[in-house]
Amino acid sequence: MNTPAAFTLSDVSKVYSNGTVALHNLDLTVHEGQFVSLLGPSGCGKSTVLRMVAGLGKMSSGNLYWGSSSQRKLAYVFQEAALMPWATVEDNVALPLKLAGLSKSAAREAVQEAIALVALQGFEKAYPRELSGGMRMRVSIARALVTKPEILLMDEPFGALDEMTRSKLNSDLLNLWGQKQWTVVFVTHNIYEAVYLSNRVVVMAARPGRVVADVAIAAPYPRTEEFRTTPLFNDYCRDISNSLSRAAGQTAALHPSDSVSASVVNQPA
Amino acid sequence: MNTPAAFTLSDVSKVYSNGTVALHNLDLTVHEGQFVSLLGPSGCGKSTVLRMVAGLGKMSSGNLYWGSSSQRKLAYVFQEAALMPWATVEDNVALPLKLAGLSKSAAREAVQEAIALVALQGFEKAYPRELSGGMRMRVSIARALVTKPEILLMDEPFGALDEMTRSKLNSDLLNLWGQKQWTVVFVTHNIYEAVYLSNRVVVMAARPGRVVADVAIAAPYPRTEEFRTTPLFNDYCRDISNSLSRAAGQTAALHPSDSVSASVVNQPA
Amino acid sequence: ASQAPTSTEAPASPAAGASPASGELTKITYGTNWYAQAEHGGFYQAVATGLYKDAGLDVTISMGGPQVNGTQLLMGGAIDFFMGYAADAIKAVEEGIPKVTVAAIFQKDPQILMAHPGTADSLEDLKGRPIFISSSANVTYWPFLRAKFGFTDDQKRPYNFNPGPFLQDKQTAQQGYLSSEPLAIKKEGGFDPVVFLMADYGYEPYSTTIECKRELVESNPDLVQRFVDASIKGWYSYLYGDPSPGNELIKKDNPEMTDEQIAYGIEKMKEYGIVDSGDAQVKGIGAMTEERWKSFYDTMAAEGVFKPETDYTQAYTLQFVNKGPDAYKV
Amino acid sequence: MDNLFDVPRQPEASAPSSESGQPSQLQRLLSPDILAPILVGLLMLALWELGVRLTNTPPYILPGPILVLQTLVREWGTLFPSLLITMKITLFAFLAAVVSGLLVSVLFTQSKWIERSFFPYAVILQTTPIVAIAPLIILWVRQLVPGTASTFVSLVICAWLVAFFPILSNTTLGLNSADHNLINLFQLYRASRWQTLRYLRLPSALPYFLGGLRISGGLALIGAVVAEFVAGTGGTSSGLAYQILISSFNLQIPRMFAALLLTTVLGILIFVLLTMLSDRLLRHWHESAVRREN
Amino acid sequence: MDNLFDVPRQPEASAPSSESGQPSQLQRLLSPDILAPILVGLLMLALWELGVRLTNTPPYILPGPILVLQTLVREWGTLFPSLLITMKITLFAFLAAVVSGLLVSVLFTQSKWIERSFFPYAVILQTTPIVAIAPLIILWVRQLVPGTASTFVSLVICAWLVAFFPILSNTTLGLNSADHNLINLFQLYRASRWQTLRYLRLPSALPYFLGGLRISGGLALIGAVVAEFVAGTGGTSSGLAYQILISSFNLQIPRMFAALLLTTVLGILIFVLLTMLSDRLLRHWHESAVRREN
Ligand SMILES: Nc1ncnc2c1ncn2[C@@H]1O[C@H](COP(=O)(O)OP(=O)(O)OP(=O)(O)O)[C@@H](O)[C@H]1O
Ligand SMILES: Nc1ncnc2c1ncn2[C@@H]1O[C@H](COP(=O)(O)OP(=O)(O)OP(=O)(O)O)[C@@H](O)[C@H]1O
Ligand SMILES: [Mg+2]
Ligand SMILES: [Mg+2]
């Protein structure tokens, strides 16, 4: 019952020029409309995966195949806020629209909406240096959402946010995703968040970075706060937590490819 | 049964030059050896509190009093990693020691220890741009811990780390704190983390930033992983979560000082 | 240009009579070697009094300056005639540059050395003492002085047209232009320096000459002749007539030039016979002779300034001058 | 939960003590920011005067500032028109340098190849003595621009040669220093070359560019002066170089210093204006101009 | 769990394709990085030769490069010693400018007051025509340094005047551009002024400083040449300026161009060396020099 593949990373390796093997023979297919969370120990190559998908930097080997959508319809929330220090919040958020050729007035409404989504009304004219860390990250999120992307890559977007804002943005994101049938790849360190949001959780192990678990979260959308209290939710969390521990252990394995095949590889719903 | 005050913020206000009222008549006394967590919505002034305590930037009004220790014995993990891009991991971590006048060889052992603590062995000679986001943050943590500070200010230090690393660092931090009787002020968005780690949780509300709840966590140390599953733990979490919701509501209150006095102010054990 | 009273006489020189009647004026630019001053007076006078116009020429005078390279401007066609210098003309032959001296207005080079009063009676006395000279002296009179008076290179001090350092130190000497620096020193320093005109010590190049491309001499000798004649007439008029029309133009080009300086310049030119002495008194202003070129060449070649094999006769032509003073009477 | 954040920021003035609104014009002029450099300037002049008097230096070597100022006042009628001419050359050369420096540096950042291949040769423009190539410039310009404008154009070209390189060099450096994350972002959104340039590289390069301007402003001025020495003008269209040279030649050293004072003041003025421009453009975001509160 | 991260990085060479180790010296010389600019240089020379031939420009206006090279070879015996002398002056002036520029800019960043008060006057050094103040410099130097060294010192001072300001200006800008978070960090750890300078401000300023060097390198050279024009006396210890002037006086235009070619090559060499230095010092961390892989 799979939808068509949005993109496929096939046998991808990435060796940085200083010799660090960030990814090693990684295979990953993400299907259209999936909400995939990517978990793994710090430095295991999650950001590198997103960068490869976004076409930032060359792969050392392997291929990236696109389905019907393409890199063109992609938005990316970087791990760092990456705002232009010389531009106001408004202008930072408007950037993707400006680059797409929209006039300022045409962009205004979408920008206002995106800023409202991350609750930064009143700060339109502020410069990044006048914002708190979390606010900066929210500007970055608004900038990604403003384009109405088909594919959304998010690298720990909510890590710097308080629980309230975070859960608000979680449900906002789910709503948007439900409406638009986006494909989302979401890096997070929060297992609960991953399970709550996604219909698939991919766990990576470190150096060389590779997929060690791929868990389908078979719970229906829309998901309410109650979902968080169900036994199913807790089971998934425990399951993934275990995978993560195993992933940490496996890092030291001498033949990483062996252990990959031994891990549970579920297909998404 | 209070220990002497490590420092007291008395009636502190901070108005940034663009007019943002970041803190408004804030009072906060932290006692020696306390582990205080600071929670609050994004942009409520948590980082500003830490900056005031660290003496970075002038207060608009109010005072900061020091007990027997002083600003001199302070270490600060900034919200951003703030590494020197031209220096290797090793040199970044060694910086505070170098500034304190230690010779390179004298510093070496402490640096090695700090790097091991954040599990970055093997990356001593790497430059910050060669690290992942979480690794960079860990360097920043190592830099703060390397000085063996009496007072430790940490601004969301573990936000960018995976659960495994996070809980390892959590327990490492608790161990260190238990041994050295540090005073810790710890900003986090993770309620569980806050309750697990601290003997006091302070909740702030936003614009103007002020304290709306001050909860003592009356659980003995050392705390084990089991503590996380006790009803007490859950009660505290729920309590604080409620305070946070209320804090969010109170932000719109016209006379914030009224609502401050109405909130529960507990004294730490 | 200002329309000074023009002469009523008909064209005197037959060679010049060819075209002025047609009314079409030929545009000509004459490049000088410095900011406008009395030493350029004859040319300005010829402009001011319409002498060039009578010869069918519309002459623009383009001032030189301390670092303006006239020969390149001449050969590149930016100017048609250039105020040259005999030494330079012979150098041009050596380098294969086809320019020719067609008239020599100054029989004596006004180049001088000055010393503080009472410190020297003749050039020999300057031996061993610091002398401020400009860098161009290295290829003109300095080798001559070195050879003739035993001056040495360690005496040289850089002169950048600021006589202050000379005033400061009584033991020093300095180069100058007869009619310029001595007056400045008298006015600002309050004393009359001792002046040694190098022409009086055997250094005898023609100077303030008229040069043009060889090509022009060959293709349009008539034009050259008209320019030379009108210029010489200008000089007669400037020296012996009323110089004020020329002076007005000089002051216009060089606003810092004072009447006092101009008067001093004219006086010195006359006193030392810079323009009208020797051959010029017989053959008219602008006169040149084979002998004089040869003796200058020989002197300088002996000091190694010129190569022994140089055909210095290529440097000039006598075709346009030596017509006798009467030929230039207006 | 939306109103969690919506207490609007008051858009107040950014001066911390601006309770009573903007400081008056007079107050601003009397602020220490302006007074301090003026005092230092006066102090230097006083020291100069004192030095000249104590050592009994004659005015034809080094005149004291009082004498220079007196001379300046007396000769204002001739020096001021010259100043205007030098200013005009400076201005044109500076503008030409800014435009060309910007354009070429933009060209350089379009490809590492172009930069590598041509940058080292750009330095030729700077290291060739103007004296040596002035005749060539004059000849060429004369062929392209006949008439009286030709001298002016030659002068501007000579001065431009001097002012060009620092802008090129600094701006190229700046264009290459854009933040890597932002470059990625622009790449991601398929920004065209022009967009990346316009919205990313140029703003990033601004501090460097403005630094280049400050260097080139002075160089354009000195270039204009030197150009006049080598390309020669005279009469009514002559600039300060002519006045300096003639004064020196005539031993009117106080007058020479008066002319030098004018170039100096012009140079300082250019510098101060460019610094103010720089502060204005960067004050919102660049470390060198932002007033940090912590 | 400690060994979660401890797979050590292999400290390999940073060239991506360096499987076979370091490229050989020859390979490196033949790399496009080096070849491209050389080709461009040759192309420009060819165009120059062609232009001269096609327009039939006589050598006394503009000699072609072949003639210039021939002349250079023929006159090598006199030109090369001059080159060495000019190089020596350039080097001393450059070093003096580097040291003084660095020191003064450090002084400036110690207090906004000092910077505000003195920076505008530093521009005077740049905008004063050397011609005008050379006599003063020579007089002063002669009083302090008697004997033959005095001319050399005067020349170095004149050239230094030209090279000083860009380093000062750029370094000051760089020192003021240190990252604010890092400044806070240093403040927190009670870093002394000297430590903040040494470990924070100077490294931050490095890219700007090196940019300033690239500008000043060329300026020191042209400063040396100009200085010799105005303060040199000729003779055996004379540099390229003297050769240029004398060739020009002697109407030996090809020889003049040969001397110009030497200054040009020297200028390019200085530039290339400084660029290499810059790449080397910044390649680990600054955007302008890092080779990014994504
Ligand atoms: N530019 C680079 N040069 C060299 N090595 C790099 C570079 N970027 C990343 N690496 C290395 O690649 C590995 C994977 O990095 P990546 O940023 O993908 O990790 P991550 O999973 O996103 O970690 P985190 O959760 O900490 O953000 C790390 O070991 C890191 O050191
Ligand atoms: N330099 C500054 N100039 C102006 N306003 C500032 C500045 N720094 C912070 N602020 C404002 O002060 C308020 C508090 O900021 P602060 O950084 O203390 O928040 P925070 O609680 O740390 O938030 P976060 O959890 O997002 O890091 C915010 O509204 C922010 O916009
Ligand atoms: Mg990452
Ligand atoms: Mg914060």
Side-chain angles (χ1 to χ4, degrees):
Chain A
M1 247 188 51
N2 271 347
T3 52
F7 62 83
T8 302
L9 286 167
S10 157
D11 208 24
V12 168
S13 295
K14 171 76 187 178
V15 185
Y16 284 104
S17 61
N18 62 3
T20 309
V21 184
L23 300 178
H24 182 72
N25 297 351
L26 179 130
D27 288 297
L28 181 70
T29 300
V30 170
H31 294 266
E32 279 183 16
Q34 266 185 345
F35 195 120
V36 180
S37 284
L38 212 56
L39 273 86
S42 167
C44 73
K46 304 179 295 298
S47 301
T48 306
V49 167
L50 294 199
R51 280 202 287 265
M52 294 301 114
V53 173
L56 301 173
K58 278 210 197 79
M59 306 178 225
S60 303
S61 70
N63 284 100
L64 170 64
Y65 302 105
W66 284 95
S68 62
S69 62
S70 79
Q71 266 180 349
R72 296 199 164 272
K73 300 296 178 89
L74 186 146
Y76 191 161
V77 181
F78 291 107
Q79 194 165 4
E80 263 108 51
L83 305 181
M84 301 181 291
W86 54 82
T88 58
V89 166
E90 206 170 47
D91 291 343
N92 266 296
V93 172
L95 179 74
L97 301 179
K98 192 149 73 176
L99 293 181
L102 257 74
S103 74
K104 237 190 160 159
S105 58
R108 188 165 300 140
E109 205 175 324
V111 170
Q112 276 306 324
E113 211 176 290
I115 289 177
L117 196 72
V118 296
L120 280 176
Q121 307 99 316
F123 288 88
E124 287 88 353
K125 303 279 181 230
Y127 286 86
R129 66 176 182 91
E130 298 170 331
L131 302 180
S132 78
M135 290 158 90
R136 252 173 279 179
M137 204 58 215
R138 282 186 273 154
V139 176
S140 178
I141 295 168
R143 183 177 60 191
L145 295 179
V146 80
T147 51
K148 313 258 147 62
E150 286 182 8
I151 297 176
L152 186 57
L153 309 179
M154 303 180 93
D155 201 347
E156 301 182 38
F158 306 144
L161 299 182
D162 60 295
E163 295 287 331
M164 311 291 296
T165 316
R166 189 169 190 148
S167 62
K168 174 186 174 298
L169 284 174
N170 275 351
S171 57
D172 287 349
L173 182 61
L174 270 192
N175 279 342
L176 286 170
W177 174 74
Q179 286 164 30
K180 321 252 167 153
Q181 287 303 329
W182 290 343
T183 310
V184 179
V185 183
F186 189 91
V187 174
T188 181
H189 288 307
N190 191 321
I191 299 175
Y192 310 106
E193 188 176 64
V195 173
Y196 176 69
L197 290 176
S198 14
N199 47 21
R200 180 178 169 200
V201 173
V202 172
V203 179
M204 289 180 66
R207 248 148 298 141
R210 64 208 183 276
V211 175
V212 291
D214 195 335
V215 183
I217 309 294
Y221 291 94
R223 291 177 183 168
T224 57
E225 283 298 312
E226 279 72 59
F227 174 51
R228 290 187 195 262
T229 56
T230 58
L232 185 68
F233 184 84
N234 280 327
D235 287 349
Y236 277 128
C237 289
R238 200 168 328 106
D239 195 17
I240 289 164
S241 185
N242 289 340
S243 298
L244 267 171
S245 310
R246 248 181 294 134
Q250 279 171 7
T251 301
L254 277 176
H255 300 287
S257 46
D258 298 349
S259 37
V260 172
S261 53
S263 72
V264 191
V265 179
N266 293 0
Q267 280 308 311
Chain B
M1 246 189 49
N2 272 348
T3 53
F7 62 83
T8 303
L9 286 169
S10 156
D11 208 23
V12 168
S13 295
K14 171 75 187 178
V15 186
Y16 284 103
S17 62
N18 63 3
T20 309
V21 184
L23 300 178
H24 182 73
N25 296 351
L26 179 130
D27 287 297
L28 180 70
T29 300
V30 170
H31 294 265
E32 278 182 17
Q34 268 186 343
F35 196 121
V36 180
S37 284
L38 213 54
L39 273 85
S42 168
C44 74
K46 304 178 294 297
S47 301
T48 305
V49 168
L50 294 199
R51 279 202 286 268
M52 294 300 115
V53 173
L56 301 173
K58 279 211 197 78
M59 307 179 223
S60 303
S61 69
N63 285 100
L64 169 65
Y65 302 105
W66 284 95
S68 63
S69 62
S70 80
Q71 267 179 349
R72 296 199 163 272
K73 300 296 179 89
L74 184 146
Y76 191 159
V77 180
F78 292 107
Q79 195 165 2
E80 264 108 51
L83 304 181
M84 300 180 291
W86 55 81
T88 58
V89 166
E90 205 170 49
D91 290 343
N92 266 295
V93 173
L95 179 75
L97 301 180
K98 191 147 74 177
L99 293 181
L102 256 75
S103 74
K104 237 189 159 159
S105 58
R108 187 166 300 141
E109 204 176 324
V111 170
Q112 276 306 324
E113 208 176 294
I115 288 178
L117 196 71
V118 295
L120 279 176
Q121 306 100 318
F123 288 88
E124 287 87 351
K125 302 281 181 228
Y127 286 87
R129 66 175 182 92
E130 299 171 330
L131 302 179
S132 77
M135 290 159 88
R136 252 172 279 177
M137 204 58 215
R138 283 185 273 152
V139 176
S140 177
I141 296 167
R143 181 177 61 192
L145 295 180
V146 80
T147 51
K148 312 259 146 66
E150 285 182 8
I151 297 175
L152 184 57
L153 309 179
M154 303 181 94
D155 201 345
E156 302 182 38
F158 306 144
L161 299 181
D162 60 294
E163 295 288 331
M164 311 290 297
T165 316
R166 190 169 188 147
S167 62
K168 173 186 175 298
L169 283 175
N170 275 351
S171 57
D172 285 351
L173 183 62
L174 269 193
N175 278 341
L176 284 171
W177 174 74
Q179 286 164 28
K180 321 255 166 150
Q181 286 303 329
W182 290 343
T183 308
V184 179
V185 183
F186 188 89
V187 173
T188 181
H189 288 307
N190 191 321
I191 300 176
Y192 310 104
E193 187 176 65
V195 173
Y196 176 71
L197 290 176
S198 11
N199 47 20
R200 181 178 169 200
V201 174
V202 173
V203 179
M204 289 179 66
R207 248 148 295 138
R210 64 208 182 278
V211 175
V212 291
D214 196 336
V215 184
I217 310 294
Y221 292 93
R223 291 175 183 170
T224 56
E225 282 298 313
E226 280 73 61
F227 175 49
R228 289 187 196 264
T229 55
T230 58
L232 186 67
F233 184 84
N234 281 327
D235 287 350
Y236 277 128
C237 289
R238 198 166 332 103
D239 193 18
I240 289 164
S241 185
N242 290 339
S243 296
L244 267 170
S245 311
R246 248 181 294 134
Q250 279 172 8
T251 300
L254 277 178
H255 299 289
S257 46
D258 297 350
S259 35
V260 172
S261 53
S263 69
V264 192
V265 180
N266 294 0
Q267 280 308 310
Chain C
S2 67
Q3 286 310 297
T6 44
S7 54
T8 47
E9 254 73 18
S13 139
S19 59
S22 68
E24 282 269 322
L25 297 184
T26 315
K27 277 188 101 55
I28 288 286
T29 303
Y30 180 57
T32 69
N33 59 1
W34 194 256
Y35 297 115
Q37 52 183 333
E39 282 85 345
H40 305 161
F43 298 102
Y44 282 98
Q45 183 83 354
V47 174
T49 60
L51 284 167
Y52 286 131
K53 219 169 148 205
D54 294 342
L57 302 172
D58 175 9
V59 173
T60 310
I61 295 181
S62 156
M63 291 196 297
Q67 301 181 354
V68 177
N69 189 329
T71 299
Q72 270 185 311
L73 295 181
L74 174 71
M75 300 318 292
I79 55 181
D80 304 295
F81 293 93
F82 172 54
M83 184 178 283
Y85 189 63
D88 188 61
I90 297 175
K91 284 280 175 201
V93 174
E94 290 185 342
E95 297 305 321
I97 300 175
K99 69 172 186 179
V100 186
T101 305
V102 294
I105 302 301
F106 284 8
Q107 298 297 314
K108 292 183 181 177
D109 185 0
Q111 195 66 248
I112 57 164
L113 286 186
M114 312 178 286
H116 286 257
T119 63
D121 296 323
S122 100
L123 273 184
E124 283 97 337
D125 297 341
L126 299 179
K127 191 175 163 187
R129 285 164 50 179
I131 305 178
F132 291 97
I133 59 164
S134 74
S135 45
S136 61
N138 283 301
V139 295
T140 53
Y141 63 81
W142 184 256
F144 168 80
L145 292 175
R146 219 166 35 189
K148 183 147 183 185
F149 301 104
F151 288 7
T152 49
D153 277 348
D154 59 6
Q155 287 177 257
K156 288 192 290 186
R157 300 285 181 273
Y159 175 54
N160 288 297
F161 307 100
N162 176 352
F166 164 67
L167 285 192
Q168 176 80 346
D169 183 351
K170 276 197 172 331
Q171 278 309 302
T172 59
Q174 185 204 292
Q175 78 167 45
Y177 218 53
L178 180 60
S179 52
S180 302
E181 278 93 341
L183 177 65
I185 288 184
K186 183 179 176 185
K187 276 176 64 185
E188 305 295 327
F191 65 90
D192 274 313
V194 204
V195 166
F196 308 109
L197 185 69
M198 268 174 297
D200 293 342
Y201 288 81
Y203 179 69
E204 294 192 306
Y206 288 119
S207 83
T208 312
T209 63
I210 301 174
E211 290 179 345
C212 66
K213 292 202 241 184
R214 177 170 295 284
E215 183 194 322
L216 187 67
V217 171
E218 283 158 7
S219 67
N220 199 348
D222 167 57
L223 178 72
V224 177
Q225 186 69 61
R226 269 151 49 206
F227 181 73
V228 168
D229 286 346
S231 301
I232 294 173
K233 283 180 205 164
W235 273 102
Y236 275 110
S237 163
Y238 188 68
L239 288 176
Y240 304 117
D242 173 16
S244 48
N247 290 345
E248 285 312 309
L249 282 191
I250 288 176
K251 284 189 284 183
K252 193 154 161 270
D253 264 8
N254 182 357
E256 287 309 302
M257 183 53 72
T258 60
D259 289 327
E260 185 192 7
Q261 261 174 295
I262 294 177
Y264 185 83
I266 296 176
E267 181 199 321
K268 290 293 162 186
M269 278 193 285
K270 286 180 177 167
E271 180 186 333
Y272 282 85
I274 297 293
V275 179
D276 198 4
S277 63
D279 295 331
Q281 286 183 321
V282 192
K283 304 182 171 185
I285 292 178
M288 300 189 290
T289 63
E290 297 274 3
E291 299 73 43
R292 174 78 182 275
W293 276 101
K294 180 168 169 32
S295 79
F296 176 64
Y297 170 76
D298 288 342
T299 316
M300 300 303 278
E303 317 305 353
V305 175
F306 301 132
K307 296 178 195 141
E309 70 274 11
T310 305
D311 179 10
Y312 67 92
T313 60
Q314 295 286 312
Y316 60 92
T317 169
L318 304 183
Q319 160 184 10
F320 301 102
V321 288
N322 300 341
K323 299 194 165 48
D326 292 341
Y328 306 108
K329 290 264 157 58
V330 200
Chain D
M1 195 176 294
D2 258 355
N3 61 359
L4 198 140
F5 306 95
D6 66 4
V7 179
R9 289 161 59 250
Q10 301 110 281
E12 274 183 13
S14 33
S17 62
S18 62
E19 308 238 322
S20 59
Q22 296 286 337
S24 78
Q25 207 63 22
L26 184 74
Q27 266 179 309
R28 222 191 269 168
L29 276 179
L30 288 179
S31 79
D33 278 13
I34 311 259
L35 277 186
I38 290 179
L39 274 181
V40 167
L42 289 179
L43 203 76
M44 290 198 305
L45 290 180
L47 277 180
W48 172 8
E49 181 74 38
L50 212 72
V52 165
R53 298 211 170 189
L54 286 184
T55 60
N56 241 323
T57 310
Y60 55 77
I61 295 291
L62 180 65
I66 293 178
L67 180 56
V68 171
L69 281 175
Q70 282 169 344
T71 315
L72 181 60
V73 171
R74 185 156 33 78
E75 301 281 339
W76 186 253
T78 56
L79 292 182
F80 184 65
S82 295
L83 175 68
L84 289 183
I85 288 162
T86 302
M87 247 167 88
K88 198 168 135 198
I89 299 170
T90 305
L91 199 75
F92 275 79
F94 184 59
L95 289 181
V98 170
V99 172
S100 56
L102 208 55
L103 287 181
V104 176
S105 61
V106 164
L107 191 75
F108 278 1
T109 39
Q110 292 314 296
S111 131
K112 266 278 160 220
W113 285 109
I114 302 182
E115 184 186 335
R116 288 255 161 106
S117 306
F118 289 95
F119 205 169
Y121 299 107
V123 87
I124 296 179
L125 293 181
Q126 195 184 22
T127 57
T128 305
I130 291 193
V131 150
I133 49 161
L136 288 178
I137 293 174
I138 294 170
L139 288 178
W140 284 331
V141 168
R142 205 165 265 274
Q143 282 170 15
L144 301 173
V145 193
T148 44
S150 113
T151 311
F152 181 73
V153 174
S154 306
L155 291 172
V156 169
I157 291 181
C158 289
W160 167 80
L161 283 178
V162 179
F164 171 68
F165 187 77
I167 296 186
L168 171 68
S169 177
N170 257 23
T171 312
T172 305
L173 178 60
L175 290 171
N176 282 332
S177 298
D179 180 66
H180 185 67
N181 281 319
L182 286 173
I183 291 181
N184 276 347
L185 184 78
F186 273 69
Q187 212 173 317
L188 193 85
Y189 286 118
R190 317 265 150 181
S192 65
R193 262 163 196 279
W194 163 247
Q195 287 175 323
T196 311
L197 184 71
R198 170 73 189 73
Y199 299 121
L200 173 58
R201 290 198 186 270
L202 283 178
S204 307
L206 196 59
Y208 292 84
F209 170 69
L210 291 167
L213 287 197
R214 284 208 294 204
I215 297 173
S216 282
L219 285 181
L221 174 59
I222 191 70
V225 172
V226 169
E228 225 191 312
F229 279 134
V230 299
T233 50
T236 46
S237 66
S238 56
L240 283 175
Y242 164 79
Q243 302 293 357
I244 291 171
L245 205 113
I246 288 291
S247 303
S248 152
F249 192 54
N250 287 340
L251 251 180
Q252 299 166 321
I253 306 302
R255 190 169 183 279
M256 177 179 102
F257 272 86
L260 283 179
L261 190 67
L262 285 184
T263 62
T264 295
V265 169
L266 184 56
I268 294 178
L269 216 72
I270 293 174
F271 178 84
V272 169
L273 283 178
L274 288 174
T275 303
M276 277 164 54
L277 177 76
S278 179
D279 278 351
R280 181 155 203 89
L281 290 178
L282 300 181
R283 81 192 142 140
H284 278 306
W285 64 279
H286 195 256
E287 297 293 357
S288 69
V290 153
R291 287 203 184 192
R292 289 281 180 174
E293 298 153 66
N294 61 330
Chain E
M1 196 175 294
D2 256 357
N3 60 358
L4 196 139
F5 304 95
D6 66 3
V7 179
R9 289 160 59 249
Q10 302 109 281
E12 272 182 15
S14 30
S17 62
S18 62
E19 308 237 322
S20 59
Q22 296 284 338
S24 78
Q25 207 64 21
L26 184 74
Q27 265 180 308
R28 220 191 270 167
L29 276 179
L30 289 178
S31 79
D33 278 14
I34 311 257
L35 276 186
I38 290 178
L39 275 180
V40 167
L42 290 178
L43 203 77
M44 292 198 303
L45 290 180
L47 277 179
W48 172 9
E49 183 72 40
L50 212 72
V52 165
R53 298 211 171 190
L54 285 184
T55 59
N56 240 325
T57 309
Y60 44 82
I61 300 284
L62 178 65
I66 294 179
L67 180 58
V68 171
L69 281 175
Q70 283 169 344
T71 315
L72 182 59
V73 171
R74 184 156 34 79
E75 302 279 342
W76 187 253
T78 56
L79 292 183
F80 184 66
S82 295
L83 175 69
L84 290 184
I85 288 161
T86 301
M87 250 166 85
K88 199 168 133 196
I89 298 170
T90 306
L91 200 75
F92 274 80
F94 185 59
L95 289 181
V98 171
V99 172
S100 57
L102 207 56
L103 286 181
V104 176
S105 61
V106 163
L107 192 74
F108 278 1
T109 39
Q110 292 314 296
S111 132
K112 265 277 160 221
W113 285 109
I114 301 182
E115 184 185 336
R116 288 253 160 110
S117 307
F118 290 95
F119 206 169
Y121 299 108
V123 87
I124 297 179
L125 293 182
Q126 194 183 25
T127 57
T128 305
I130 292 194
V131 151
I133 48 160
L136 283 179
I137 293 175
I138 295 170
L139 276 180
W140 285 331
V141 169
R142 215 160 253 281
Q143 280 170 15
L144 301 173
V145 193
T148 45
S150 114
T151 307
F152 181 74
V153 174
S154 306
L155 292 175
V156 168
I157 290 181
C158 289
W160 167 79
L161 282 179
V162 178
F164 170 69
F165 187 77
I167 297 187
L168 171 68
S169 177
N170 258 22
T171 312
T172 304
L173 178 60
L175 290 171
N176 282 333
S177 298
D179 178 66
H180 185 67
N181 280 320
L182 286 174
I183 291 182
N184 275 347
L185 184 78
F186 274 69
Q187 213 174 316
L188 194 85
Y189 287 118
R190 317 265 149 180
S192 66
R193 262 164 196 278
W194 164 248
Q195 287 175 324
T196 310
L197 183 71
R198 171 73 189 75
Y199 300 120
L200 173 59
R201 290 197 186 270
L202 284 178
S204 307
L206 197 59
Y208 292 85
F209 171 68
L210 291 167
L213 287 198
R214 285 207 295 202
I215 297 173
S216 283
L219 284 181
L221 174 60
I222 189 71
V225 173
V226 169
E228 234 192 307
F229 278 142
V230 299
T233 55
T236 46
S237 65
S238 55
L240 282 175
Y242 177 75
Q243 303 293 353
I244 291 171
L245 264 182
I246 294 300
S247 302
S248 158
F249 289 141
N250 283 340
L251 302 174
Q252 298 166 322
I253 306 302
R255 189 169 184 276
M256 178 177 100
F257 271 85
L260 283 178
L261 189 67
L262 285 183
T263 63
T264 295
V265 170
L266 185 54
I268 294 178
L269 216 72
I270 292 174
F271 178 84
V272 169
L273 283 178
L274 289 174
T275 303
M276 278 164 55
L277 178 75
S278 179
D279 278 351
R280 181 155 202 89
L281 290 178
L282 300 180
R283 80 190 144 143
H284 279 306
W285 66 277
H286 195 254
E287 297 291 357
S288 69
V290 154
R291 287 202 186 194
R292 288 282 180 176
E293 297 153 68
N294 60 332

